[in-house]
Amino acid sequence: MQTFMKIPLATVLCGLLLLLITLCSANDNNSSKPRDKSIPQKTLPYGSRGHGGCFCAPGIPGLSGSPGPAGSPGNHGPEGRMGPRGKKGDEGVRGRPGAPGVKGPAGPAGPRGEKGEAGSAGSPGNKGDTGARGSQGPPGPKGAPGPFARNWKQCVFKKEDNRDSGLIKECIFKKASDTTGLRVFYSGNLRLYNCHRCCRRWYFTFNGAECSTPGAIDGVVYMIYGHGRKKDLHRPRHIEGVCEKIHRGTVRVGFWVGNCAGYGSADANTGWNSVSRIYVEEVLPPQA
């Protein structure tokens, strides 16, 4: 039974087919039905009635032999050339975002970058609330007098002075600035006596020197036909001016009497029977 199962199926089928053909041929030869000669008969490929094919049919094949041992594997052939690169495939569906990773340690500080361009000015912010008033600070040091603060002094005296030459009165003044000027004037009684074509000069000095910028501050009294005690006129006089470029600090303002240029000595009198005053004031520099 095991031997029969080893016969190939195609061989079994071919044997059954040959047996069927043989049976059919025997049936045709034994038929009593007369043949119609008017109807042409078909000729089969293996004879006039298909019997010739049976003479060439193979016999029943023999039993298959047992399979031989498997052959040894052949050598690995050379690697073939790389084929052409295929077309880029369609982009796949974007995956879901992954979970955030653990924050790593901070890296070292990088080098300082170049200064960027200034940004545009922002819109003004809202005005904040007024803060509480702070406590009053201590008073600051006293400053120098401002340009509009008046700094003045007057020296008043009631004393008749009969000297014909020399210092009559000195008034000490404290000047605050180097750029300011000093305005001075004398107001009082002056006179000449018992002379003809005579002259006396009253003038101011600053620290012992007459003013040079812009010039001397003085006044003269001249008389004619006064000899023989014909004239003894006492008159109120006013001599005034501003001296510039006097350094700040203490200034000794003096009022003097002396000779007129080109005239000799004469009998002078200052402050007869009245009050005399020397006025000193620090004033702003002149305009350009």
Side-chain angles (χ1 to χ4, degrees):
M1 183 66 180
Q2 293 179 354
T3 302
F4 179 76
M5 293 298 295
K6 292 182 179 180
I7 299 173
L9 180 60
T11 303
V12 175
L13 293 176
C14 185
L16 294 176
L17 181 60
L18 291 176
L19 179 60
L20 181 62
I21 294 173
T22 303
L23 295 176
C24 290
S25 299
N27 189 29
D28 287 342
N29 293 329
N30 297 325
S31 177
S32 59
K33 186 179 179 179
R35 184 182 54 167
D36 189 357
K37 296 181 179 181
S38 62
I39 298 172
Q41 299 295 319
K42 293 181 180 182
T43 305
L44 296 176
Y46 298 102
S48 59
R49 295 184 61 88
H51 301 107
C54 294
F55 296 107
C56 297
I60 297 173
L63 301 176
S64 298
S66 61
S72 60
N75 297 329
H76 185 72
E79 186 177 354
R81 293 181 300 174
M82 182 181 291
R85 186 174 183 178
K87 296 181 180 181
K88 183 177 180 181
D90 298 334
E91 184 176 356
V93 179
R94 185 173 183 179
R96 292 179 298 173
V102 179
K103 185 177 181 180
R112 186 174 182 178
E114 299 180 357
K115 185 177 181 181
E117 299 179 357
S120 57
S123 57
N126 298 328
K127 184 177 180 180
D129 299 332
T130 304
R133 184 174 182 178
S135 59
Q136 183 175 355
K142 184 177 180 181
F148 299 103
R150 297 191 65 178
N151 182 23
W152 62 278
K153 180 180 181 180
Q154 63 175 346
C155 297
V156 180
F157 57 98
K158 186 178 181 180
K159 180 181 179 182
E160 183 178 1
D161 195 320
N162 286 314
R163 76 185 66 200
D164 299 328
S165 181
L167 178 64
I168 297 173
K169 182 68 175 177
E170 191 172 65
C171 189
I172 306 301
F173 184 82
K174 291 184 179 180
K175 192 171 184 288
S177 173
D178 290 331
T179 61
T180 56
L182 284 184
R183 173 183 174 234
V184 296
F185 68 76
Y186 167 81
S187 179
N189 189 284
L190 305 176
R191 74 104 163 103
L192 287 179
Y193 176 68
N194 193 26
C195 59
H196 174 63
R197 291 182 179 178
C198 55
C199 178
R200 300 313 287 165
R201 176 176 179 258
W202 283 263
Y203 58 93
F204 283 96
T205 61
F206 302 89
N207 294 328
E210 291 195 58
C211 181
S212 59
T213 305
I217 302 173
D218 61 356
V220 300
V221 177
Y222 175 80
M223 186 174 67
I224 192 173
Y225 303 121
H227 57 286
R229 301 180 181 180
K230 294 179 181 179
K231 294 180 181 179
D232 189 11
L233 301 177
H234 297 267
R235 298 288 187 271
R237 314 287 182 175
H238 185 90
I239 301 173
E240 181 178 354
V242 176
C243 188
E244 302 174 37
K245 295 186 178 180
I246 299 176
H247 295 296
R248 63 180 176 178
T250 302
V251 182
R252 294 180 291 107
V253 180
F255 187 64
W256 299 65
V257 63
N259 293 337
C260 297
Y263 293 86
S265 182
D267 187 0
N269 183 275
T270 303
W272 179 80
N273 201 28
S274 62
V275 174
S276 298
R277 61 177 32 87
I278 296 173
Y279 180 86
V280 185
E281 181 182 7
E282 187 171 5
V283 295
L284 292 175
Q287 59 179 285

